[in-house]
Amino acid sequence: MASHDTKNEFPAKTLNLFNSKSTLLHLFIFLNGLPIGFVCAFCIQSYLATNPIFFFSALPSISQPKPPASSKIPPTLLPPMGFSVKRQIPMMHNMSDEDLVRSVMKVTTENVTTVPHKVAFMFLTPGRMPFTPLWELFFKGHKGLFTIYVHTHPSYNETIPRHSVFHDTRITSQPVYWGDISMVDAERRLLANALLDPSNQRFVLLSDSCIPLFNFTVTYNYLINSNFSYVSSYDEKAKSGRGRYNPQMLPEITIHDWRKGSQWFEVNRTLALGIVTDKKYYSLFKQFCHPPCYNDEHYLPTLASILYGEMNSNRTVTHVDWSKVGPHPRRYVASEITAEFLNSIRFGSKECIYNGKPAYTCFLFSRKFTWSTLKPLLTFAPLLFGENP
């Protein structure tokens, strides 16, 4: 049996390795490659220091560290003025009113804040908008500060030109009948669609016979800076007021809760959300308010009085003439349109309260204007809109 000395064997093998030509070549390559490796490592480290996104995008399982709380976002990454959340739901959709409200609640719970704030102009009309040219002048140059929503009869199918401010503003609608709960449904439908855009902070309901009385800047500042909503709500003890109350609404709505007011309102986002999500009072009106009880004259004034009295001004910003006795207000014709007439509506109203102080600018819109008044109204557009149309 052969015997081996392990202590002497290792040094001998090591010496033989260094004596081989192959090993000397490997050693030469290693010694020359070492500084090259250090240089490459330094370059990679410097690149990653200035391009961290590349590194973390290559490793999806590693989350990029958040910057310190005190660090500022580079200006190039800040949202531009007019930024708002992209509307995920188109104007025309197949959702029911109930599904629409659920979508509104989802947007509300996301608590998204967008700038600048916008005013939602909601038009309730059977079909054509006769005063489109006047409204085009009103909105011109103010893109990003307003949105438009139009509720027409479902059968209305007139094509709106792409260059028009009213292009692609129609919402999914249902038939509306005068004096019926369907009128309230249309109002709630308009509000729900407008609430899907979190940048909408004020909501004004208008008709096809409404016109603006001031330029956009005056109107926008008046509404955006207001501390109150504008829902006409008052206690009328006559037959046309309390006489329409149905005791079957007890105990939720008493005779002392009952209110009357104009259908044409302007509300902030809180009140708008309260209107579309209300089930309690809406169901009572739907069940117990039938002609001569008219939902559009009593539902919202009563709801606002009961739940949102502190944030409501109890007046409207839409002028209308009820001097003639009857179920409908006065209708203006072309021969009446003069500078004196328009100014009497703009500045001739009685003193009102704006943000707790006396004011004489009480109305921003007016109705009812017949189609024949469009031409003279366009003639007086400089009077209404001044240098800022």
Side-chain angles (χ1 to χ4, degrees):
M1 180 180 292
S3 61
H4 299 279
D5 189 344
T6 57
K7 290 183 179 181
N8 294 330
E9 184 179 21
F10 179 78
K13 289 183 177 182
T14 304
L15 184 61
N16 290 335
L17 286 172
F18 280 99
N19 286 338
S20 68
K21 293 181 179 181
S22 175
T23 303
L24 288 175
L25 178 61
H26 293 162
L27 181 62
F28 175 80
I29 294 173
F30 172 77
L31 293 175
N32 283 276
L34 190 62
I36 295 175
F38 280 117
V39 172
C40 290
F42 176 79
C43 291
I44 292 174
Q45 183 178 9
S46 299
Y47 178 79
L48 290 177
T50 57
N51 299 274
I53 296 177
F54 170 82
F55 175 73
F56 290 107
S57 62
L59 297 175
S61 61
I62 302 177
S63 59
Q64 186 172 353
K66 294 182 179 180
S70 59
S71 66
K72 295 182 178 180
I73 301 175
T76 55
L77 298 182
L78 289 172
M81 289 298 291
F83 168 83
S84 64
V85 175
K86 183 179 179 181
R87 184 185 177 93
Q88 299 296 324
I89 301 174
M91 290 282 192
M92 301 295 289
H93 50 73
N94 295 321
M95 290 191 298
S96 66
D97 289 346
E98 292 75 15
D99 291 335
L100 186 58
V101 172
R102 279 190 282 270
S103 296
V104 168
M105 294 305 297
K106 183 178 180 181
V107 171
T108 303
T109 55
E110 289 174 355
N111 197 26
V112 178
T113 301
T114 58
V115 292
H117 291 164
K118 295 190 292 187
V119 176
F121 291 82
M122 309 178 302
F123 291 88
L124 181 57
T125 173
R128 186 185 173 194
M129 293 279 294
F131 296 107
T132 293
L134 188 66
W135 284 106
E136 295 272 8
L137 290 175
F138 174 79
F139 288 118
K140 184 179 179 180
H142 300 285
K143 185 177 181 180
L145 296 178
F146 67 89
T147 47
I148 298 174
Y149 303 85
V150 181
H151 187 294
T152 68
H153 192 278
S155 64
Y156 178 73
N157 59 3
E158 182 178 349
T159 301
I160 306 298
R162 293 187 64 87
H163 62 79
S164 172
V165 73
F166 287 95
H167 177 72
D168 197 25
T169 59
R170 283 185 58 195
I171 67 169
T172 300
S173 61
Q174 297 292 333
V176 176
Y177 304 100
W178 182 78
D180 187 73
I181 191 67
S182 60
M183 190 77 75
V184 173
D185 293 335
E187 296 171 3
R188 285 158 56 106
R189 198 173 294 123
L190 280 163
L191 282 170
N193 277 273
L195 282 164
L196 290 175
D197 186 343
S199 60
N200 288 331
Q201 295 296 313
R202 307 293 303 204
F203 307 78
V204 56
L205 179 69
L206 301 162
S207 76
D208 54 315
S209 68
C210 284
I211 67 164
L213 294 174
F214 297 93
N215 64 39
F216 181 88
T217 301
V218 171
T219 304
Y220 177 86
N221 289 334
Y222 193 102
L223 298 179
I224 288 293
N225 295 322
S226 176
N227 298 328
F228 298 90
S229 292
Y230 297 93
V231 178
S232 175
S233 178
Y234 54 91
D235 181 9
E236 184 177 288
K237 296 180 173 61
K239 184 178 180 180
S240 58
R242 288 194 180 189
R244 298 175 178 176
Y245 171 74
N246 189 336
Q248 290 181 287
M249 292 183 174
L250 287 170
E252 287 80 6
I253 302 176
T254 69
I255 187 68
H256 301 289
D257 296 324
W258 190 251
R259 294 292 183 273
K260 183 180 178 179
S262 171
Q263 173 187 6
W264 311 101
F265 61 81
E266 192 284 333
V267 295
N268 61 20
R269 193 171 181 90
T270 299
L271 186 44
L273 185 62
I275 295 170
V276 302
T277 57
D278 169 54
K279 294 181 180 180
K280 177 180 178 180
Y281 298 102
Y282 171 81
S283 62
L284 289 171
F285 272 86
K286 185 176 183 179
Q287 186 176 2
F288 300 118
C289 181
H290 304 286
C293 175
Y294 301 103
N295 289 276
D296 55 290
E297 292 184 8
H298 295 281
Y299 167 69
L300 190 51
T302 301
L303 177 71
S305 177
I306 295 175
L307 298 181
Y308 303 98
E310 293 183 356
M311 67 173 61
N312 185 33
S313 65
N314 294 325
R315 67 179 178 91
T316 180
V317 288
T318 300
H319 169 270
V320 66
D321 186 351
W322 283 101
S323 59
K324 292 185 177 181
V325 179
H328 300 288
R330 176 182 176 184
R331 296 171 63 88
Y332 301 114
V333 297
S335 59
E336 297 179 87
I337 307 305
T338 64
E340 292 74 19
F341 166 74
L342 293 173
N343 280 332
S344 68
I345 299 176
R346 282 154 44 97
F347 307 112
S349 51
K350 296 180 180 180
E351 181 181 291
C352 60
I353 302 298
Y354 178 78
N355 284 350
K357 297 181 180 179
Y360 289 94
T361 301
C362 303
F363 299 115
L364 302 176
F365 314 97
S366 183
R367 60 186 303 269
K368 280 182 157 186
F369 289 79
T370 61
W371 292 22
S372 66
T373 61
L374 175 59
K375 186 175 180 179
L377 284 171
L378 289 175
T379 302
F380 287 108
L383 169 69
L384 297 175
F385 304 148
E387 298 179 357
N388 187 18

